[in-house]
Amino acid sequence: MRQLMLKPLIYQYGNCKDFVNEFNVGKGDLIITNEFIYAPFFGEMNLSCDVLFQERYGKGEPSDEMVDAIYKDIKAKGDFKRIIAVGGGTVLDIAKLFALENVSPAIDLFDRKLEIVKDKQLVLIPTTCGTGSEVTNISILKLESRKTKLGLSVDELFADSAVMIPELLESLPFQFFAASSIDALIHATESVLSPKATPFTELFGYKAIEIIIRGYQEITRNGESARIPLLGDFLLASCYAGISFSNAGCAAVHAMSYPLGGKYNVPHGEANYTMFINVFKHYMAISSEGSIAKLNKHLASLLDCGIGDVYDSLSVLLGKILPLKSLSEYGVTAEDIDVFTDIVMEKQGRLMANNFVKLDAKEVKAIYEELL
């Protein structure tokens, strides 16, 4: 069994100027980012590269329609040797695809109807502390015609270089910081329970859990501004979690969040958060032995609570960072539950195979109903 694959070279810089100088950013490069990121951090450098702003092609989660529109404009600009993405999960997931030779129609790419060939170098720079996308081989798109999300996981989507620049997170609003870092926590917890977990992936996953929970405890003691000196730690934790789940995989929390994001445009991290605690409680109801017992012991030591109280205590801590909403607050109806359940069971087999214990359609439906 393969124990660990770590593809990108990982760099860290104190500021964007140092990155630009060392990577010789210029002609032949295409930067994919957002204007609100590019203007303050790169705007005065007068770079000779091409720049594309993702938000001009649509808002919200990345979609196949967004990718197809961007691809058309990229082809009109000519050939590039290197794709440099600076942004959150939307930007990074989109940019991965443009390192490939065959991209559009994106729905055909995700259905594996197009040959997957990487023909450009890829540099990924996260501006949130949640997706871990800079070190994963996964791109997730909302397929508009199907009203759900689908992931493409192939080694050609690994970055050549992953670059961490903590200053890029300093202007991130607290709500986005909270949702993205909770997403990283979920990556870590799902991956340490995965049947594909190894001692190497657990090393990264458990360290990510520790950093994030200790950071949240500091924030609850001293207020939202307490996160600023911890941003480098949270960025590192997100990267650690990304390494862990890139190898071991995520599971039902992600699988069940995709229909919610696909139909109601709930941001990815927030949608995962909605499912998180209930999925783990259902795991516990089926089995409290094995890897979940190890996880619970670790959480109890961090949360200073009894092992039987870990998920209630974790829920209280997370609620202080980001209030949890019910599914109905996002617009979900009772009629959606059967449809969501069918999507999970029929379309998300890649993720459901990583569950700690098997969840059948009855269990999945019950989780949704409890959250309504």
Side-chain angles (χ1 to χ4, degrees):
M1 178 180 174
R2 187 174 77 179
Q3 297 292 295
L4 181 71
M5 181 176 180
L6 180 55
K7 173 66 175 175
L9 292 172
I10 300 176
Y11 300 82
Q12 182 164 334
Y13 295 98
N15 55 66
C16 295
K17 186 176 181 179
D18 288 346
F19 156 72
V20 166
N21 290 337
E22 185 160 328
F23 271 69
N24 296 313
V25 177
K27 189 174 177 59
D29 292 327
L30 172 65
I31 295 180
I32 301 176
T33 186
N34 302 110
E35 190 167 9
F36 65 84
I37 294 170
Y38 188 82
F41 292 105
F42 299 92
E44 295 182 357
M45 297 186 197
N46 297 316
L47 301 177
S48 59
C49 59
D50 283 275
V51 181
L52 182 148
F53 297 130
Q54 170 267 318
E55 65 269 25
R56 296 183 181 179
Y57 298 86
K59 298 179 180 180
E61 300 288 295
S63 70
D64 58 328
E65 292 180 358
M66 190 184 295
V67 168
D68 289 338
I70 293 173
Y71 180 73
K72 183 178 179 181
D73 284 355
I74 288 178
K75 294 298 289 183
K77 288 178 178 288
D79 294 327
F80 298 97
K81 295 181 180 179
R82 189 165 59 174
I83 303 294
I84 301 173
V86 187
T90 294
V91 168
L92 300 192
D93 276 13
I94 286 174
K96 287 179 179 181
L97 304 177
F98 296 119
L100 303 179
E101 182 178 4
N102 306 304
V103 180
S104 185
I107 196 167
D108 286 350
L109 176 64
F110 276 63
D111 283 341
R112 305 297 185 95
K113 294 179 181 179
L114 301 180
E115 184 181 8
I116 297 175
V117 179
K118 185 175 180 179
D119 66 347
K120 303 173 191 68
Q121 292 184 44
L122 180 63
V123 179
L124 300 180
I125 307 173
T127 60
T128 66
C129 49
T131 68
S133 186
E134 69 276 8
V135 291
T136 74
N137 65 340
I138 303 167
S139 176
I140 299 166
L141 293 185
K142 177 183 178 182
L143 305 181
E144 295 287 3
S145 61
R146 299 179 188 174
K147 301 299 181 185
T148 191
K149 293 183 178 182
L150 190 64
L152 177 67
S153 178
V154 293
D155 286 352
E156 288 82 356
L157 296 183
F158 274 119
D160 298 283
S161 302
V163 181
M164 292 185 288
I165 309 175
E167 78 164 0
L168 287 168
L169 278 66
E170 290 177 2
S171 59
L172 186 67
F174 186 81
Q175 181 175 348
F176 294 106
F177 160 81
S180 66
S181 55
I182 289 174
D183 190 23
L185 178 63
I186 294 168
H187 290 155
T189 52
E190 286 206 293
S191 66
V192 299
L193 292 188
S194 169
K196 298 176 185 174
T198 71
F200 294 91
T201 65
E202 289 181 3
L203 180 69
F204 286 102
Y206 275 112
K207 188 60 179 178
I209 292 168
E210 177 185 341
I211 292 171
I212 293 168
I213 289 180
R214 291 301 188 209
Y216 286 163
Q217 290 168 335
E218 178 69 16
I219 291 167
T220 58
R221 285 192 296 266
N222 297 302
E224 295 180 2
S225 61
R227 77 188 186 282
I228 301 300
L230 300 176
L231 290 176
D233 292 339
F234 274 97
L235 189 58
L236 193 61
S238 175
C239 186
Y240 285 168
I243 292 169
S244 186
F245 91 80
S246 179
N247 284 270
C250 288
V253 174
H254 278 70
M256 293 186 65
S257 77
Y258 287 168
L260 176 60
K263 181 167 184 179
Y264 292 102
N265 298 312
V266 180
H268 175 69
E270 198 171 328
N272 283 337
Y273 175 36
T274 304
M275 307 296 166
F276 179 31
I277 299 297
N278 260 40
V279 167
F280 276 59
K281 285 184 174 181
H282 273 254
Y283 284 161
M284 282 291 295
I286 297 171
S287 176
S288 59
E289 304 297 325
S291 58
I292 202 166
K294 180 179 178 180
L295 172 62
N296 292 348
K297 184 177 179 180
H298 186 68
L299 290 173
S301 68
L302 293 171
L303 296 166
D304 193 24
C305 68
I307 289 177
D309 300 322
V310 290
Y311 295 109
D312 288 334
S313 295
L314 182 58
S315 182
V316 170
L317 176 63
L318 296 182
K320 294 177 181 178
I321 300 298
L322 184 68
L324 184 66
K325 295 181 180 179
S326 66
L327 291 179
S328 60
E329 289 179 86
Y330 293 115
V332 177
T333 65
E335 290 72 26
D336 287 322
I337 300 302
D338 285 331
V339 176
F340 283 9
T341 301
D342 289 343
I343 290 173
V344 170
M345 302 309 296
E346 294 173 10
K347 302 294 184 182
Q348 300 300 339
R350 175 182 67 87
L351 294 170
M352 296 295 282
N354 299 325
N355 288 342
F356 165 64
V357 290
K358 184 177 179 180
L359 296 180
D360 58 20
K362 182 179 178 181
E363 288 281 349
V364 169
K365 183 177 180 180
I367 294 169
Y368 278 132
E369 288 176 337
E370 289 165 10
L371 295 171
L372 192 60

